[in-house]
Every structure is written in C-alpha cells, then in structure tokens.
Amino acid sequence: MKVLVQKFGGSSVANVDRIKNVARRVVSYRAKGWKLVVVVSALGDTTDELIELAGQITSEPPAREMDMLLSTGEQISCSLLAMAIEELGYDAISFTGGQVGIVTDKTHTKAKIVDISAGRIRRALQEGKIVIVAGFQGVTQDQDITTLGRGGSDLTAVALAKAIGAKTCEIYTDVEGVYTTDPRIVPEARKLKQITYDEMLEMASLGAQVMQARSIEVAKKFDIPIHVRSSFNAAEGTLILKEADKMEDFVISGVTLNKNEAKVTVCDVPDKPGIAAKLFRELSREGINVDTIVQNVSRTGFTDVSFTVSLADLAKTKKVMEKFASKIHAGKVLEDKDIARVSIVGVGMKTHSGVAAGMFEALAQKKINIGMITTSEISISCIIRKKDAEKAVRSIHAKFGLGKQA
Amino acid sequence: MKVLVQKFGGSSVANVDRIKNVARRVVSYRAKGWKLVVVVSALGDTTDELIELAGQITSEPPAREMDMLLSTGEQISCSLLAMAIEELGYDAISFTGGQVGIVTDKTHTKAKIVDISAGRIRRALQEGKIVIVAGFQGVTQDQDITTLGRGGSDLTAVALAKAIGAKTCEIYTDVEGVYTTDPRIVPEARKLKQITYDEMLEMASLGAQVMQARSIEVAKKFDIPIHVRSSFNAAEGTLILKEADKMEDFVISGVTLNKNEAKVTVCDVPDKPGIAAKLFRELSREGINVDTIVQNVSRTGFTDVSFTVSLADLAKTKKVMEKFASKIHAGKVLEDKDIARVSIVGVGMKTHSGVAAGMFEALAQKKINIGMITTSEISISCIIRKKDAEKAVRSIHAKFGLGKQA
C-alpha cells in the first residue's frame, strides 16, 4: 500500500476556509493514487482557549482532567476536516487517538506512546477511505485520555507513519520549510532542501521552532523521512532525513537564536568537591532544565557558578538557589535576563576545521562580546547580550555564505 | 451503596461561575453521605455553535462525523466540572459515554442505548470519587462515538440511574419543576409536587418542554423516580413517579400549549377504501410524524382529509402530498399555519366525568372556536386559532381550579 501521512498544524486549520483548503489539498493527493492518513491539530487557538477556561476554574487542574478537556480540540478539527473532504465527494473517516489504538503511558499532559495497533486505520484505508486522526492524543490501557505535550501532533504523525509503513511523513505548517536562519532577521536566509535528523534535532533544541525534538527523535529512530512544507502553497519544503545529499555540502546548515533564556550566577560557592553536583541535583529535583554551565576559576577557596535556564523557570530557579546558597554558606544569587544564545549547527563541522574560529571572527567583526561558549559535536553556541542578537545572526549567516546569493 | 444521579443541563453549566455553583451543590450532597454520579450537558450554546460550524462546511454533514463533533461539548463540560469539584477538595473523575460503557446502536445522531456496563463507575464510586459523566453520548460496539438526540443527557442520567441502582435521578434545569401550565402565560400557575410518568409523557408530547419523552419512558419502564428541580435554588421541585399521592387529587394536572404545528388539508380525495392508509404511508415513509387527523364526512364520493404536522415538516409534507394528490386525482393541498394546540392532561379524567365538557365550556366562555379535537385516555386536545392560544390556556387553567389560590 502506497501510504502518505500528512499532518496539518493549528494555523493550517485555523478557520473554516483553511479547513476547506486542507481538504482540497488532501484529495488532490488522493487523486494521484495515494492512500492517506491525515493528522490534525486543534483549530487555531482552541487549545489555549481551553487552557484559559480551565485556569478560570482552578490554578492547578488535575492532569487527567486537563487531558480530557484538551483532547476535544483535535476531535473537533478532525471531524470538521472529514466533513470537508466528504463534501468534495471523497470518503473520509475521522478517529480519536484512542480509536486508532494509540496507547500511551499514564503520564497525563506529556504521555509517551507505548503502542499503536493500526488495524482500524488499515481497514479504513483498504475500504478506500481517507483517514483523519486527531493529533496530540492517545489513551492509557484503561481508556483514560492522554495528551502528548507540546508538538504532540507531529509525534502522532511520525508514529503513525512508522506503524502503517508510510513512505513519507509530510508536516504542513505556516512556514515553507527549514531555513538557514530566521528570515525575519536575515531576509536572504535560504530554505534548505535537506537536513539531517541530527542537525534538525540540534536546531530544535537551540531555538528553531519548526518541529519539536521528540518527533524528530522518533523519525530518526525509525528512519522515516519528514517533509516540512507550507500548507498555503505547493512549493517543495525541506526534507529531514538520515543523510543529506552531498550536493548541498555546506559546512553549516543553520544559525539559530534563542532569547528565552536567563543566566543565573551563584556567587562565592565554597570550592569543595561535590558542591556542584549538589547544586544541579537541587535544580533537577525541581524539574528545571539547565543549559550552558560556566564555573569561574577558583580563587581563595570560593568560586562563582553560572548557568542558563529558560525564562519560564527563572523565578523558581532563583528561589531554589537562594535556599541552597544559604544552606551551603554561599553568597548572593544573581540573575541576568539580558542574554541571547546564538548558535551554528551543521554536520559539516565534524570534518571541517576552523568553524568555531569563523563564528568568533564574525562576532568580533561586529564588536560583539561573548559571555559563555558551549559546543556539541555538530553545534557551537555563544551567549551574548540581547541587544546584539540580530546583528550577530546576520554577521554569522553572511560569514558562512548561507544566504541565497551564496 | 446509597447512590444519587444528578443531571445538569446546558443552562446550569453555561459559564465558569455556574459550573462552580454546580460543583458546590454536588459536594453538599457528598457531604451528606451520598455517592454521586453527575451527568452534564454541554456548556450553554456549545452544541448549537458546533452545529453552526459544521453548517459552514457542508449542508449535509455525515451523521458519524457530526457525532464525533458534537460529543466534544459534553466532554468539555464534564472535565471542567471535575476540576471545579477537585478545587473544592473532593475527589472527582470525569468520563465520556464510551468510557463508562454506554453502548448504543449505530443510528448516529439519535442512537438508542443497548447496554451499559457500569463497572468502571462502580469502581470509581467505591474509591470514594464523585463520578462525572458526559451526557448525550455513547459508543457503538466498534467504538464509534454516537449521540442520543435532543434531550439525550436526560436519557443518560435515567439509564445510568437504572444501571447502578440509584435511588433517585435528579434533573436540574432552569425551571423549578413541572407547572400546571406555562407560568409566562398564567402567572398563578402552580408547581406540581408530583406527577405520574404517564401524565408527564402526555404533557411532553403535547408541548411541555421540561423533559423529553424518551427519558420519561425509560424511567417509567424501570420505575426510577425523577426529581425535576432548579439548579439556581434549593427548592423542592416536582417528583415524577408511578403513582402520585392521593393528596394531590386534582382531576387534571396541567394545561399545555403547542404553537409549532400546522394543519394540512388534502381536498377532494376519492373516497375509496385504502386511500387514507396510502396517504399516511407516504408521509411515514418520509419520516413525517402526523398528529391530529380529521376526515370530513364524504359527499359525492370525495372527502377532505386534514391533519397536523410540526411546522418544521410543513414544506416537505406539502411537497409529498401534492405529488400524492396528483397521483390519486385528488384536489388542492391547503396549509394553515395559524393554529395552536391547547391540551389538558390528567390521570383523574379516567375516573371523573364531564372533563371534556368543562374544557369546551372554558373555550366557549371566551368565544374561542374549536377546529379539531382529539382525545387520549388521559388527555384532550383542541386545535384553535393561534391568536386565541394564551386566552384559551388561561380560561381552562382557571376553569379546573389549577391556580395557586385554588
């Protein structure tokens, strides 16, 4: 069976006209002979509206009930899309996550898929129907409804592609694909034809918002090609796969920017073995993810420990660290919200030397000061002042010749 | 287990404040020692809004997809109510119709309940939880979502009361109970303390809008007392049961009014055996329900056949009848939308004579002409001009001494 999985995000189904557009696109593929499984997110801002509604009732909604509530958003959009497709004269059938056998663990609001029994989908496809599946949701063994967390609909799409052996998983979104950097900052940013799973993962974790890391990880694990493309035109987007063609042999694939981090410094920490471990254990116990860490050279038996956290976690982090600092007789806890992370990503840096030097030169040319540096096998990140962020991205993008003219 | 089923309609959960009110009422019963199963309708106008949304996509939404769409309304309200109850410090758990094992036939948009396996509810009750169930919905054997039609949440409540052996089924609504007639027409209308299933059924079918006939039929079948009462105050409402106490031995229980009918007359129908049967067979084939039927005395081998249908079916009825009239060489098909049905209902008329005469006198006193008359064992209906409707109700209500002062 020649099956294609297509996933349409919230902006692609934000209103009735857009739902009708999606229906037309879907049937155009049906007409070309594809069997189709279509995954949809909730209409536009539905999910946020439902969260707001719950917020009016309680500041701490029970996670199970939250999932019961939020899963309705996708149920609405998938039934409407099925209607729009039927209206065009094609057979369609919509399913909730539970109905197509997406079984998850019990971690409500961020459940993990443990099994998909795709029998019901296969039967519907064999009957010639276009199958529409509500994204972002599943059920536990007890039939309790769960949701998969932010970006969950992408995960539904990739997991279904694996379960039914689809050739490709198309992710339709409001951008045309994955760009070398944010085109709003660098107008000459170039759409990438291809990018590897690893590069995409790195870009996602460094601030690119095209796809959530979890679904790319699943795609990588099962080697399912993802095609990220626009739901508003027919242009080819970006293919995410195991190994990109040599043709596009740029040293780096993209420049990312993240302005949603803050730097926290715990001053005058007694410089004793095990203290750093304790400090970061405190944070992980509170569910706070720490990124770049820098510890200054110790003088006189004390040291300053700096690290970055997401802005959303800042208040909590400060509270936890102030308590910890007083316990270990350390000094003040400082925060710095005026930072930005600019990063370059590319598998090419494994085999090319001088990449880091190139990045630092690009920053130096614009007299941009570097506060912290971290590297991974295929990325380099610099923490700089927020005001320099866009200037930095443009300078690095030009330095590595990533623009359209390159 | 001392279990109470409570059902709250759309107006009772129309907004966040009302949901919180319902939560407070529910936990007040919990505090009194009841185990509770609470059935909720969709928030306020949600269902109508969803129908409108579907209408923007297609004029003929597939019934299965319509159910997928509409069932979300109750899923939202039941999860929100569960949150509101938890916020008050009580354990609650919400379920869809499917999750509590409400299995229906496949007649989407007006499915019939075929089975309820209440095991999941019983377990939750034993765990001390307040159980919230989405009204109006079930699933087929194949797990396809179905809805139970208008008034379906009442049906869910009554059927669950039967399945778990509840003592009473409380139906909370925006009126204080069942009245002798519409208090907007007759200010001195009296709230009934009790009414029999049969009377309530008759009143429902004759225009009283408190409860749908289907749920009363089920309550009657299994002898489940229903308590209709207001969700906005603590007053006792009306108890619907098998036999009302003698104390309230009024001859009739209520006066109903229905202005949603039209009269259709097929003129000059050949007066041959079997013609009437054919005529009404045509209508039933199209799913048109016919009420009062009058056939004038035949002169010269032709007769006029008149009957009433609901206004919603009028256009279709005329079309079907015009086709039929031409086939059997009958005359014109006339319509009359200017009619109203006023009825009296009461088990007392079985044992009291002169009830019909009393009704006709009440109309005659106000010089109201009677167009058609029908009777059942416990009701009498007159078709009159629409402009006389309210006057007729007031006159009859007074005649039988139904007012508060009586």
Side-chain angles (χ1 to χ4, degrees), chain A residues 347-369:
Chain A
V347 287
M349 67 177 74
K350 286 189 200 175
T351 49
H352 288 71
S353 56
V355 175
M359 183 180 187
F360 303 153
E361 277 162 28
L363 295 174
Q365 275 160 16
K366 299 289 170 187
K367 302 199 187 333
I368 296 167
N369 200 38

Side-chain angles (χ1 to χ4, degrees), chain B residues 48-287:
Chain B
D48 290 336
E49 285 163 21
L50 292 172
I51 290 173
E52 149 112 42
L53 203 54
Q56 287 173 31
I57 285 180
T58 169
S59 54
E60 289 176 42
R64 182 191 178 280
E65 300 304 331
M66 205 60 195
D67 282 353
M68 185 87 168
L69 180 67
L70 294 186
S71 62
T72 59
E74 281 72 20
Q75 192 174 325
I76 290 171
S77 53
C78 77
S79 57
L80 291 176
L81 180 58
M83 289 178 194
I85 291 173
E86 294 250 355
E87 177 73 7
L88 295 175
Y90 289 78
D91 262 3
I93 185 164
S94 75
F95 293 115
T96 63
Q99 285 173 337
V100 293
I102 298 178
V103 177
T104 73
D105 63 15
K106 294 179 182 177
T107 325
H108 285 286
T109 76
K110 40 184 185 257
K112 285 198 174 59
I113 297 175
V114 295
D115 189 38
I116 296 184
S117 50
R120 184 93 201 252
I121 291 184
R122 282 218 184 79
R123 268 204 311 284
L125 289 175
Q126 270 152 9
E127 289 165 5
K129 287 175 180 154
I130 296 171
V131 172
I132 322 291
V133 179
F136 177 66
Q137 59 182 252
V139 289
T140 65
Q141 300 281 6
D142 292 335
Q143 298 295 315
D144 283 337
I145 297 170
T146 51
T147 63
L148 309 176
R150 284 273 157 195
S153 291
D154 290 344
L155 192 60
T156 302
V158 174
L160 284 177
K162 157 68 180 155
I164 56 176
K167 212 169 144 23
T168 307
C169 178
E170 294 189 331
I171 304 286
Y172 287 88
T173 174
D174 49 6
V175 295
E176 287 197 13
V178 183
Y179 280 74
T180 51
T181 195
D182 188 339
R184 285 167 303 184
I185 299 173
V186 184
E188 60 271 27
R190 191 172 44 86
K191 183 169 71 184
L192 296 163
K193 277 193 179 165
Q194 301 184 332
I195 188 170
T196 66
Y197 297 124
D198 287 331
E199 287 172 319
M200 194 65 228
L201 276 169
E202 200 74 28
M203 284 177 76
S205 79
L206 291 170
Q209 292 179 354
V210 180
M211 277 187 83
Q212 292 280 312
R214 287 169 69 202
S215 32
I216 306 164
E217 276 162 11
V218 175
K220 181 188 170 188
K221 185 171 168 190
F222 298 111
D223 198 9
I224 296 154
I226 296 177
H227 187 179
V228 177
R229 58 193 306 189
S230 168
S231 59
F232 303 121
N233 63 47
E236 292 285 309
T238 303
L239 214 53
I240 310 175
L241 28 65
K242 204 169 177 179
E243 277 187 8
D245 288 346
K246 288 293 169 202
M247 205 185 79
E248 275 205 290
D249 197 9
F250 289 85
V251 178
I252 73 167
S253 292
V255 183
T256 64
L257 175 62
N258 186 351
K259 290 163 131 184
N260 294 313
E261 286 177 90
K263 179 178 160 185
V264 175
T265 303
V266 185
C267 302
D268 302 323
V269 175
D271 192 13
K272 288 185 288 192
I275 285 274
K278 271 187 196 154
L279 189 157
F280 292 107
R281 172 65 59 208
E282 284 296 316
L283 292 171
S284 86
R285 196 175 290 142
E286 297 289 327

Side-chain angles (χ1 to χ4, degrees), chain B residues 195-393:
Chain B
I195 188 170
T196 66
Y197 297 124
D198 287 331
E199 287 172 319
M200 194 65 228
L201 276 169
E202 200 74 28
M203 284 177 76
S205 79
L206 291 170
Q209 292 179 354
V210 180
M211 277 187 83
Q212 292 280 312
R214 287 169 69 202
S215 32
I216 306 164
E217 276 162 11
V218 175
K220 181 188 170 188
K221 185 171 168 190
F222 298 111
D223 198 9
I224 296 154
I226 296 177
H227 187 179
V228 177
R229 58 193 306 189
S230 168
S231 59
F232 303 121
N233 63 47
E236 292 285 309
T238 303
L239 214 53
I240 310 175
L241 28 65
K242 204 169 177 179
E243 277 187 8
D245 288 346
K246 288 293 169 202
M247 205 185 79
E248 275 205 290
D249 197 9
F250 289 85
V251 178
I252 73 167
S253 292
V255 183
T256 64
L257 175 62
N258 186 351
K259 290 163 131 184
N260 294 313
E261 286 177 90
K263 179 178 160 185
V264 175
T265 303
V266 185
C267 302
D268 302 323
V269 175
D271 192 13
K272 288 185 288 192
I275 285 274
K278 271 187 196 154
L279 189 157
F280 292 107
R281 172 65 59 208
E282 284 296 316
L283 292 171
S284 86
R285 196 175 290 142
E286 297 289 327
I288 296 165
N289 279 323
V290 169
D291 214 303
T292 314
I293 300 171
V294 169
Q295 182 174 330
N296 285 1
V297 181
S298 171
R299 301 145 294 143
T300 70
F302 291 92
T303 185
D304 292 350
V305 177
S306 296
F307 54 86
T308 62
V309 293
S310 78
L311 278 173
D313 283 337
L314 180 59
K316 198 170 164 192
T317 304
K318 258 200 104 179
K319 221 169 98 183
V320 172
M321 282 299 97
E322 275 164 357
K323 207 170 146 195
F324 179 74
S326 115
K327 207 168 74 183
I328 61 161
H329 307 293
K332 277 186 186 164
V333 176
L334 306 175
E335 67 170 42
D336 179 2
K337 291 193 274 194
D338 186 32
I339 62 163
R341 169 189 305 269
V342 58
S343 315
I344 55 175
V345 175
V347 287
M349 66 177 74
K350 287 188 202 175
T351 49
H352 287 71
S353 56
V355 175
M359 183 180 190
F360 302 152
E361 279 164 25
L363 295 174
Q365 277 160 14
K366 299 288 172 189
K367 302 199 186 337
I368 296 167
N369 201 36
I370 302 173
M372 300 160 103
I373 297 170
T374 45
T375 60
S376 83
E377 204 183 6
I378 61 166
S379 77
I380 305 170
S381 293
C382 296
I383 301 294
I384 58 176
R385 308 315 301 165
K386 214 167 230 166
K387 70 170 169 52
D388 294 329
E390 282 77 13
K391 200 165 48 173
V393 170

Side-chain angles (χ1 to χ4, degrees), chain A residues 16 19-20 43 50 53-54 56-62 64-69 71-72 75-76 78-84 86-87 92-96 99 120 142-145, chain B residues 16 19-20 43 50 53-54 56-62 64-69 71-72 75-76 78-84 86-87 92-96 99 120 142-145:
Chain A
V16 165
I19 292 172
K20 289 178 179 172
L43 274 65
L50 291 172
L53 204 53
Q56 286 173 32
I57 287 182
T58 168
S59 54
E60 289 176 42
R64 181 191 179 279
E65 300 304 330
M66 205 61 195
D67 282 353
M68 186 86 168
L69 179 68
S71 62
T72 61
Q75 192 173 325
I76 289 171
C78 77
S79 57
L80 291 176
L81 179 59
M83 290 179 193
E86 295 251 353
E87 177 73 6
I93 186 164
S94 74
F95 293 115
T96 62
Q99 285 173 337
R120 184 94 201 252
D142 290 334
Q143 298 295 312
D144 282 337
I145 297 170
Chain B
V16 166
I19 292 172
K20 290 178 179 173
L43 272 65
L50 292 172
L53 203 54
Q56 287 173 31
I57 285 180
T58 169
S59 54
E60 289 176 42
R64 182 191 178 280
E65 300 304 331
M66 205 60 195
D67 282 353
M68 185 87 168
L69 180 67
S71 62
T72 59
Q75 192 174 325
I76 290 171
C78 77
S79 57
L80 291 176
L81 180 58
M83 289 178 194
E86 294 250 355
E87 177 73 7
I93 185 164
S94 75
F95 293 115
T96 63
Q99 285 173 337
R120 184 93 201 252
D142 292 335
Q143 298 295 315
D144 283 337
I145 297 170

